[in-house]
C-alpha cells in the first residue's frame, strides 16, 4: 500500500546523522504551529520542533504520533528522531496570524531540548524569531537542563512578552529517575537549570508530570521536589497523575513487569477502562501537591505579569 501524507514525507526524509542506535532525519514541514483543542490544556497553540524524543521515558503518551508515519514499533519513537525543516521567514509569517492574547506552548508532545537540539538548534532558532515579538504569551516545557543554554534569549523574550518555563521533575531520586527516564538529564541538573533561569529573571516552575501511583507519589517525594524547586527560585509547582494511553502501555507495562512486578495487576485493573484515573486517587494527589506547595510557598500556576511596553521608534 502506498504511503500518504506525513507517512510518505517521513519515508522520504533524508538522513542527517546516526548516533549509535538513534537516527536523525529532516522532515519537510508545512506548518510549525498547531491549533489545540480540548478542555484539559491551558493553551491555544502548540509547537514541537521535533517528532520523536530520545529521552525514552517509560510513561510517554506521545508515542502514538509515530504511528501516523507508519512507524509502529514502540522503540521507534525514541530511535527515529525527525528534525522539522525550518524557515525563519515562513515561521514569522505563521506566527503573525496568531492573536496576541493566545497562549503558544513549546514542547507539548516531544521535548524541545532533547539531545537533537544540540545538533540542530531548532528550538533556539524559533525563539530567536520570537525575540522580535511583542505582547505574546509563551511557555516552554522540558525536562532538560539544556534550556539553561537559552537563558539569555528567554530573558530577552520575557522583557516584552509573558514567558514561563516549565521544568519537569518527576523525582529527586536519581536512580529512580534513570529507570523512568533513561536518557533524560539527572534531577539535580534540572534544578540547576531552574536556578540559572530564575537568576536571569525568567519565570520558571516545576511540574511533577506524571505522578505515578505507588512509584513517585508519596507526600515526602512531592514535598522534596517542591522544596528543591523553591530553593532554586521556582515560582510555581504542580503535577498531574499518569495518563496511560495504549501506546504508552506497550512500554510502561513491560517496564513494570521488570522493575515493579507487584504493581502490574493493580495497574491493569485501574487503567482497564480509561487512560485517566478519576475519583479518590487524583483527589488525594492534589491534596499532597497543595500541601507541598504551601510548605514551599509556591504558587499553583504561573502568575501573569506585565511585560515592558514596546518602545515606539520615531523617525
Amino acid at each position: 500500500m502506498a504511503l500518504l501524507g506525513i507517512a510518505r514525507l517521513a519515508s522520504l526524509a533524508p538522513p542527517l546523522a546516526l548516533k549509535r542506535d538513534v537516527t536523525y532525519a529532516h522532515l519537510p514541514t508545512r506548518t510549525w504551529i498547531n491549533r489545540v483543542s480540548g478542555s484539559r490544556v491551558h493553551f491555544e497553540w502548540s509547537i514541537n520542533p521535533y517528532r520523536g524524543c530520545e529521552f525514552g521515558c517509560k510513561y510517554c503518551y506521545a508515542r502514538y504520533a509515530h504511528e501516523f508515519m507508519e512507524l509502529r514499533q514502540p522503540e521507534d519513537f525514541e530511535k527515529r528522531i525527525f528534525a522539522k525543516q525550518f524557515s525563519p521567514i515562513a515561521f514569522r509569517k505563521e506566527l503573525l496570524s496568531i492573536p496576541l492574547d493566545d497562549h503558544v506552548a513549546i514542547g507539548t508532545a516531544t521535548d524541545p531540548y532533547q539531545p537533537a537540539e544540540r545538533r540542530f538548534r531548532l528550538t533556539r532558532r524559533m525563539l530567536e524569531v520570537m525575540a522580535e515579538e511583542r505582547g505574546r504569551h509563551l511557555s516552554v516545557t522540558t525536562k532538560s537542563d539544556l534550556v539553561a543554554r537559552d537563558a539569555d534569549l528567554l530573558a530577552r523574550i520575557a522583557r516584552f512578552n509573558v514567558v514561563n518555563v516549565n521544568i519537569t521533575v518527576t523525582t529527586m531520586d536519581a536512580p529512580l529517575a534513570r529507570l523512568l527516564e533513561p536518557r533524560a538529564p539527572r534531577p539535580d541538573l534540572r534544578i540547576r537549570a531552574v536556578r540559572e533561569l530564575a537568576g536571569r529573571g525568567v519565570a520558571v516552575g516545576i511540574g511533577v508530570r506524571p505522578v505515578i501511583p505507588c512509584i513517585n507519589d508519596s507526600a515526602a517525594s512531592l514535598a522534596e521536589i517542591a522544596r528543591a524547586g523553591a530553593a532554586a527560585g521556582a515560582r510555581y509547582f504542580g503535577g498531574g497523575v499518569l495518563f496511560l494511553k495504549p501506546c504508552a502501555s506497550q512500554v510502561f507495562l513491560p517496564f513494570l513487569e521488570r522493575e515493579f512486578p507487584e504493581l502490574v495487576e493493580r495497574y491493569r485493573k485501574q487503567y482497564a477502562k480509561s487512560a485517566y484515573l478519576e475519583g479518590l486517587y487524583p483527589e488525594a494527589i492534589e491534596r499532597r501537591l497543595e500541601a507541598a506547595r504551601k510548605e514551599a510557598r509556591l504558587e499553583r500556576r504561573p502568575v501573569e505579569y506585565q511585560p515592558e511596553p514596546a518602545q515606539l521608534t520615531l523617525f
Side-chain angles (χ1 to χ4, degrees), residues 17-33:
L18 176 65
K19 187 181 76 175
R20 205 164 60 185
D21 59 347
V22 177
T23 60
Y24 301 106
H26 255 154
L27 185 66
T29 304
R30 300 186 187 94
T31 61
W32 295 272
I33 310 174

Side-chain angles (χ1 to χ4, degrees), residues 68-228:
F68 297 129
M69 299 186 291
E70 297 299 328
L71 298 173
R72 299 185 178 278
Q73 297 301 315
E75 62 272 16
D76 285 338
F77 185 77
E78 58 206 61
K79 293 184 177 182
R80 301 281 301 277
I81 310 299
F82 294 86
K84 296 181 180 179
Q85 291 182 349
F86 183 67
S87 164
I89 295 174
F91 181 74
R92 180 177 287 108
K93 182 178 179 181
E94 191 175 344
L95 189 61
L96 289 174
S97 69
I98 295 174
L100 288 178
D101 288 341
D102 283 4
H103 182 165
V104 180
I106 300 178
T108 59
T110 58
D111 201 299
Y113 287 100
Q114 60 177 288
E117 174 63 14
R118 295 187 186 277
R119 294 170 178 252
F120 307 117
R121 299 172 68 87
L122 285 179
T123 300
R124 184 169 179 92
R125 292 171 69 190
M126 292 180 178
L127 291 176
E128 287 170 345
V129 174
M130 290 181 171
E132 305 303 319
E133 293 288 299
R134 300 293 184 269
R136 292 282 174 193
H137 291 70
L138 172 69
S139 66
V140 179
T141 300
T142 180
K143 56 170 62 75
S144 174
D145 62 322
L146 181 58
V147 65
R149 177 201 67 185
D150 293 341
D152 59 334
L153 183 54
L154 288 162
R156 180 150 53 96
I157 297 171
R159 182 178 176 186
F160 297 110
N161 305 270
V162 177
V163 178
N164 291 284
V165 176
N166 310 306
I167 296 187
T168 301
V169 180
T170 49
T171 176
M172 293 303 298
D173 181 335
L176 177 58
R178 184 62 59 215
L179 287 176
L180 294 170
E181 306 151 348
R183 288 177 291 281
R186 299 191 316 265
D188 62 298
L189 297 179
R190 302 180 216 179
I191 294 297
R192 187 170 71 184
V194 172
R195 181 172 291 106
E196 293 180 31
L197 290 165
R200 296 300 301 269
V202 178
V204 59
I206 297 289
V208 187
R209 291 186 171 84
V211 176
I212 308 173
C214 302
I215 294 179
N216 70 335
D217 64 345
S218 72
S221 175
L222 299 176
E224 182 183 16
I225 298 169
R227 286 193 298 269

Side-chain angles (χ1 to χ4, degrees), residues 40 241-242 270-271 274-284:
R40 292 182 179 271
V241 175
L242 176 67
Q270 294 298 320
Y271 283 96
S274 174
Y276 295 96
L277 290 185
E278 297 180 351
L280 296 178
Y281 180 78
E283 292 170 4

